[in-house]
Structures are given as C-alpha cells and as structure tokens.
Amino acid sequence: AGYDEIQVPHLVNEASGRGTGQLPDKEGQMYHVGNENLYLIPTAEVPVTNLYRDVLLKEADFPIQKTGYTPCFRREAGSYGAHVRGLNRLHQFDKVEIVRVEHPDNSYAALDGMVEHVKGILEALKLPYRVLRLCSGDLGFTSALTFDFEIFSTAQDRWLEVSSVSNFETFQANRLKLRFKNKDGKSQLAHTLNGSALALPRILAGILENYQTDEGIQVPEALIPYTGFDMIS
C-alpha cells in the first residue's frame, strides 16, 4: 500500500502528546512516568506524526505515508463490567498504525484510500465487519471525519471496534507547526490522517470465534503463509 515502516519510541514527552491532541484531552487514559515527565504511547500515531513537528515541507514531498507496529498502553480508567474482560480491553496491546501527511486538496481522497486499505485486510481475513461513519457528536476531540471498523463477536453477540480511520485536517498540523510551501511560495498547514490496521487482540478474538471447527481453530487462508500451519488444535 506504499507505507514506509518505521520504528518509533514507546515513550514520548508532553509536547508530543499535545501535538497530536492526546493531551490534555486523554491525559486520564495515559500512563505517566512522573520522574521524567514522559508518557507511554497510547498509539504509534503520537511518535510517528511528531516526526514532522516544526517541519516545513515542499509540495513535492506529498504524500507522506508511514506505518508503525508498536505496543500501546492505556489505563482504561472507568472501564468495568463483563464487556471489557479478556481480549476486549487491555492495558497493553499491539497495533499497526498507518499515518499520512497530505496536501489539503488530497486529504479526503487519501482518507478514502485508507478506508479501502483496512477493508482489504478484513476481507482477506474473511471476518464479518461493518464500517460506521461517525456523526459529529461521536467524533473525537481532534478529528474532522472518522470511520470506525467493527467485527462481529459471535460469542458476545455484539460488534467490536478494531480500527478507526480519521482525517484531522489542520488540527494536529496547527499544534505541530507542520507546514508546506505552496505553489505561491507561502507557508500553509498540511493535513494529517491516521488509522489502525489493525488492533491485534480483538482481531485474534474474532479469528478464534469465527473460525472454530470440530477439529480446532482453522487459520485464515491469508495467514497460512506466515504461520506455516492451517489448524490450531
């Protein structure tokens, strides 16, 4: 899909959290290392996007497409009940994040491309899924438009979110001072986007639930070249 994979830190400073909008909005959900005033990352979005803080790009630099595979750390304060047990909601989990920095004229076409990318992964895994376009009241603090992806949990008889893909337009870029020189030679804010591709625990749960057979758990065909086996018994 054209993304460059990069390895990023799992600890970020306060300025990085504020740059992408996790701080102060989600401070209660983040693990804080008090002595150093650092935060464990809730998603690779934070360090990946902050690579472009205080950067002045050229139009020829677009599109910028990065991906990172990291552990994610979340306090999940206030979460309780049966629906958050097991793999549903964890304090630490692995996730692949895709991040794009785009020219404002192309950001919504890029968002559509990211949606299709996540769709392609879920279709390759042959998991039952749906896509929700969030209304303004459900949008996050930073987002201009978000699509949520959910897979169906047969054991819980409900839909579980496994990905969220968003266009932040200039919100993050304004905080990060992420700009580019336009064709008129003037500085202009870029657009930033990101999405999960995917959050692994709920995908694993979806595979365990949807691929049960009398012989064991069948491995999705798309994963067999990587696992080297086709059945978990």
Side-chain angles (χ1 to χ4, degrees):
Y3 291 88
D4 297 322
E5 184 175 1
I6 55 177
Q7 187 174 13
V8 292
H10 300 162
L11 285 163
V12 294
N13 59 22
E14 182 178 343
S16 296
R18 290 187 178 276
T20 48
Q22 274 72 23
L23 295 174
D25 183 50
K26 292 183 173 62
E27 185 167 11
Q29 299 295 340
M30 296 174 67
Y31 284 104
H32 182 230
V33 183
N35 291 341
E36 305 294 336
N37 195 29
L38 297 173
Y39 293 85
L40 286 167
I41 60 171
T43 166
E45 166 199 348
V46 182
V48 173
T49 310
N50 270 276
L51 292 173
Y52 297 94
R53 194 196 324 166
D54 295 320
V55 169
L56 182 62
L57 301 167
K58 301 185 292 290
E59 284 201 50
D61 294 328
F62 296 123
I64 293 171
Q65 301 180 128
K66 302 295 182 184
T67 184
Y69 171 52
T70 68
C72 302
F73 306 89
R74 301 182 186 181
R75 292 185 59 224
E76 302 296 355
S79 298
Y80 59 90
H83 67 286
V84 298
R85 294 175 183 168
L87 293 173
N88 278 353
R89 198 174 293 275
L90 302 171
H91 293 292
Q92 177 180 337
F93 61 94
D94 286 359
K95 180 161 67 79
V96 176
E97 192 78 4
I98 51 177
V99 174
R100 294 182 68 147
V101 181
E102 290 282 351
H103 191 287
D105 292 346
N106 190 57
S107 68
Y108 279 94
L111 180 65
D112 290 341
M114 295 170 75
V115 167
E116 292 302 314
H117 175 70
V118 176
K119 278 184 183 179
I121 299 173
L122 293 171
E123 288 171 1
L125 293 173
K126 297 180 180 178
L127 292 172
Y129 76 94
R130 68 182 183 183
V131 185
L132 306 178
R133 176 173 172 162
L134 299 190
C135 65
S136 58
D138 289 332
L139 287 175
F141 174 59
T142 58
S143 176
L145 179 59
T146 293
F147 292 94
D148 278 356
F149 289 77
E150 298 178 338
I151 61 170
F152 189 73
S153 169
T154 53
Q156 300 175 67
D157 193 29
R158 66 190 187 96
W159 294 91
L160 300 175
E161 181 188 330
V162 294
S163 176
S164 187
V165 181
S166 300
N167 187 347
F168 303 104
E169 293 191 357
T170 61
F171 184 96
Q172 292 180 333
N174 185 50
R175 288 185 166 206
L176 296 165
K177 299 299 181 280
L178 168 51
R179 300 157 295 157
F180 69 97
K181 284 281 189 182
N182 63 25
K183 60 185 178 182
D184 297 321
K186 296 181 179 179
S187 294
Q188 184 177 344
L189 291 171
H191 280 193
T192 61
L193 308 89
N194 72 54
S196 310
L198 297 156
L200 299 188
R202 290 183 178 181
I203 290 296
L204 175 60
I207 291 172
L208 294 175
E209 292 178 1
N210 286 281
Y211 278 86
Q212 292 189 32
T213 71
D214 292 338
E215 291 75 34
I217 306 299
Q218 181 182 346
V219 176
E221 183 178 355
L223 298 182
I224 293 174
Y226 304 97
T227 61
F229 52 84
D230 61 6
M231 187 70 68
I232 303 171
S233 58

